Amino acid sequence: MIAVRGLQKSFGTARVLRGIDLDIADGEVVALIGRSGCGKTTLLRCINFLEEYDTGEIRLDGEELWYRTTPGGARRRVSEAEARRMRQQMGIVFQQYNLFPHMTVLDNVLLGPRFAQRVSVAEAEALGRRLLARVGLEAKMSGYPAQLSGGQQQRVAIARALAMRPKVLLLDEITSALDPELVGEVEDVIRSLLSDRIMMVLVTHALGFAREVAHRIAYLADGAIVELGSPADILDRPKDPSLKEFLRRVR
Amino acid sequence: MPPGSLALLAQGAVVSLLLAAAAIVGGTLLAVLLATIAFARFAAVRAVYRVYVYVVRGTPLLVLALLLFYAMPALDLRTGPYIAGTLVLIVYTGALFAEVFRGGVLAIPRPQWESARSLGLPPLAMFRKIVAPLVTRYTLPPYVNVCVMSVKASSVLSIISVWELTLAAREIIERTFAVFTILGLAAAFYFVMCFGIDRLGRLLERHLALKGFAGERA
Ligand SMILES: Nc1ncnc2c1ncn2[C@@H]1O[C@H](COP(=O)(O)OP(=O)(O)OP(=O)(O)O)[C@@H](O)[C@H]1O
Ligand SMILES: [Mg+2]
């Protein structure tokens, strides 16, 4: 499980996260919603330490991530090697796929297992093939990213993240850059992961999809979680006025 | 045409080509090291890079050659100019290649770094699998530019008595006074060498082109 406590993050004088508390249970899918600029992406990036944060702590299965407090009370980043080990427990998928353009689809998927986790070539290839089959792209294995459609690239990106056998998947608006007719194929892949009981944090503007796959939805406003509850609670019985307003605008 | 001059010029061209090859290989290795330093965590280390590039790039190759030549009196007189000359070319092209590579690293989009980082790739794998392949592709045209230049730059070494194409030409001219014939021939040799490097560069470019992009055949 993941436990986020008192997470705060500023960019210069702009306070972007103002004390985030969030627990994610094993196998749980939590959707993050909120208007543009409220800090959803920043929160995901902090969880994966692509962004440093100012105070607060993040634990994964009890282990504190990214920072250590010295006996003197000073807060220090963990070493690069430690950070790499911790990152391997998480997969992140971005809005813009970000596949490596000079590698085949299979090599994109293999890269993490081969060179970060030092899995043997044969084992990594078997894993890569299996994952690509799972996202329906076995036939495109030896193609290059630029030869694929956006939806296909995004499915490869999901396979690449899954190849690390992560405990958590962090998904940042993974269908927002796609043409409407390609959204379904990517959402199908996410649906198929539900039975794996992998933890997911899903940033999305697609409220229908959030209702369907998320166990809980967190509504962020101005860098804080304003309301948190079941999809029905958040989407059908919102209490917070700004959430009501947000839902009215999105629909 | 004075008898035997063509063979002499050809021999000179081979020496020029060897000098350029040493400059390209040595300069590339040096530049990889320098470009790594350019992105070091500590500002003092990065400053070393800047000082190196500014000094070397801001000094005429001829002056550098003379400096190093006179600074190496301890060396044997026969090998002296060749070693000094090769070193000076490496030092010089190293600075130029380093800037080319630095530009290539800066051109890697931030999301590419972040994808690689999020996989937890160790530094060496990051370099071998992401940075080197991308930088190679981004920088091939300016890289070939410096390679071509290094062939011509080797002619400066004739000043410190490195016997190569230009010095061979001057020797023949002193004997025969066939100024324009010999200089024209020497220029033709330089042109052929540069053109060859250019073609090689183009072949490599085509070979390394990112698959599936519109510019593939540009
Ligand atoms: N690198 C940065 N430097 C300065 N400010 C930043 C940076 N990244 C984000 N911000 C600011 O932090 C705030 C939160 O940004 P964030 O990207 O997390 O929003 P978001 O909720 O993901 O929005 P969207 O729905 O548009 O993706 C915004 O006001 C943004 O301008
Ligand atoms: Mg965002």
Side-chain angles (χ1 to χ4, degrees):
Chain A
M1 66 165 287
I2 295 180
V4 179
R5 287 289 173 275
L7 193 74
Q8 296 197 29
K9 162 83 188 168
S10 301
F11 287 110
T13 55
R15 296 185 61 200
V16 174
L17 298 177
R18 307 164 176 258
I20 301 282
D21 295 307
L22 182 63
D23 285 317
I24 299 156
D26 287 336
E28 191 179 30
V29 177
V30 174
L32 291 179
I33 63 171
R35 64 189 51 162
S36 181
C38 70
K40 305 177 296 290
T41 295
T42 306
L43 175 56
L44 275 202
R45 290 169 57 85
C46 285
I47 293 177
N48 198 29
F49 204 45
L50 286 174
E51 210 72 74
E52 296 190 32
Y53 45 95
D54 307 322
T55 55
E57 61 172 52
I58 302 172
R59 286 178 182 276
L60 176 58
D61 289 343
E63 183 193 23
E64 185 173 356
L65 300 179
W66 318 126
Y67 294 97
R68 290 286 174 267
T69 311
T70 60
R75 184 166 173 270
R76 277 228 309 268
R77 305 170 45 145
V78 297
S79 70
E80 287 296 315
E82 277 284 277
R84 283 199 295 275
R85 182 184 59 75
M86 292 170 178
R87 281 214 180 88
Q88 286 168 25
Q89 305 177 63
M90 303 185 178
I92 187 162
V93 182
F94 307 91
Q95 188 175 339
Q96 290 294 347
Y97 343 127
N98 300 339
L99 297 176
F100 302 115
H102 57 290
M103 289 180 198
T104 64
V105 163
L106 183 62
D107 283 342
N108 263 278
V109 177
L110 292 186
L111 190 68
R114 275 290 285 127
F115 296 99
Q117 300 180 326
R118 306 230 137 259
V119 169
S120 74
V121 184
E123 201 180 325
E125 275 199 12
L127 176 69
R129 278 166 201 275
R130 203 162 63 239
L131 286 169
L132 284 172
R134 180 162 186 180
V135 300
L137 286 172
E138 220 183 359
K140 300 280 182 188
M141 202 162 64
S142 41
Y144 283 81
Q147 297 167 331
L148 304 186
S149 74
Q152 292 171 331
Q153 289 189 56
Q154 194 59 294
R155 286 186 278 152
V156 176
I158 295 170
R160 178 175 71 176
L162 288 174
M164 308 293 290
R165 303 171 197 273
K167 295 174 177 168
V168 202
L169 262 193
L170 307 170
L171 307 168
D172 192 4
E173 299 200 40
I174 59 171
T175 57
S176 303
L178 297 177
D179 291 338
E181 74 266 26
L182 300 178
V183 168
E185 64 188 53
V186 172
E187 289 184 346
D188 281 342
V189 169
I190 300 303
R191 280 186 195 99
S192 79
L193 294 176
L194 295 174
S195 56
D196 288 20
R197 292 184 45 81
I198 182 172
M199 285 185 272
M200 286 192 239
V201 185
L202 173 79
V203 173
T204 186
H205 287 291
L207 298 183
F209 186 62
R211 181 197 294 274
E212 179 195 336
V213 299
H215 300 100
R216 286 186 301 157
I217 296 181
Y219 169 68
L220 251 82
D222 238 352
I225 294 181
V226 174
E227 210 164 315
L228 175 66
S230 70
D233 283 342
I234 299 294
L235 301 178
D236 302 333
R237 295 179 292 278
K239 293 191 208 69
D240 182 80
S242 80
L243 171 56
K244 285 180 189 166
E245 164 72 16
F246 171 75
L247 292 176
R248 220 178 6 256
R249 282 221 240 149
V250 172
R251 279 179 183 146
Chain B
M1 191 195 329
S5 52
L6 201 60
L8 271 177
L9 287 176
Q11 281 171 30
V14 169
V15 178
S16 291
L17 206 55
L18 286 175
L19 287 167
I24 291 168
V25 173
T28 301
L29 294 176
L30 176 62
V32 170
L33 187 78
L34 283 168
T36 311
I37 286 177
F39 293 96
R41 184 173 310 179
F42 301 105
V45 183
R46 293 198 299 271
V48 170
Y49 172 84
R50 279 205 305 280
V51 168
Y52 181 94
V53 169
Y54 288 159
V55 168
V56 171
R57 209 174 44 180
T59 313
L61 180 60
L62 182 56
V63 175
L64 274 184
L66 288 171
L67 263 177
L68 205 69
F69 180 59
Y70 288 117
M72 292 184 97
L75 285 164
D76 184 282
L77 274 179
R78 267 165 306 154
T79 60
Y82 290 89
I83 291 180
T86 307
L87 277 181
V88 109
L89 278 185
I90 290 176
V91 163
Y92 192 67
T93 53
L96 301 188
F97 281 141
E99 277 293 274
V100 168
F101 292 159
R102 191 174 69 88
V105 173
L106 290 175
I108 297 177
R110 201 169 99 142
Q112 291 282 309
W113 290 112
E114 294 188 339
S115 295
R117 258 207 303 159
S118 72
L119 292 177
L121 283 191
L124 196 63
M126 187 90 126
F127 177 80
R128 278 183 48 221
K129 294 289 156 184
I130 311 291
V131 179
L134 288 178
V135 169
T136 306
R137 285 164 172 87
Y138 295 162
T139 63
L140 212 49
Y143 178 84
V144 170
N145 221 3
V146 177
C147 293
V148 167
M149 191 225 65
S150 72
V151 173
K152 292 176 292 179
S154 67
S155 72
V156 162
L157 301 181
S158 61
I159 293 294
I160 59 170
S161 68
V162 170
W163 191 87
E164 39 63 77
L165 182 51
T166 300
L167 190 51
R170 277 174 42 200
E171 281 178 4
I172 301 170
I173 290 170
E174 272 166 28
R175 275 192 283 110
T176 65
F177 303 106
V179 179
F180 294 106
T181 318
I182 298 302
L183 279 185
L185 275 174
F189 270 110
Y190 277 117
F191 178 82
V192 168
M193 290 190 282
C194 292
F195 187 73
I197 291 180
D198 235 328
R199 296 309 305 166
L200 275 179
R202 281 298 176 135
L203 278 179
L204 204 59
E205 228 176 277
R206 198 153 294 179
H207 178 68
L208 291 176
L210 294 173
K211 307 281 186 307
F213 282 90
E216 209 170 321
R217 304 224 165 272

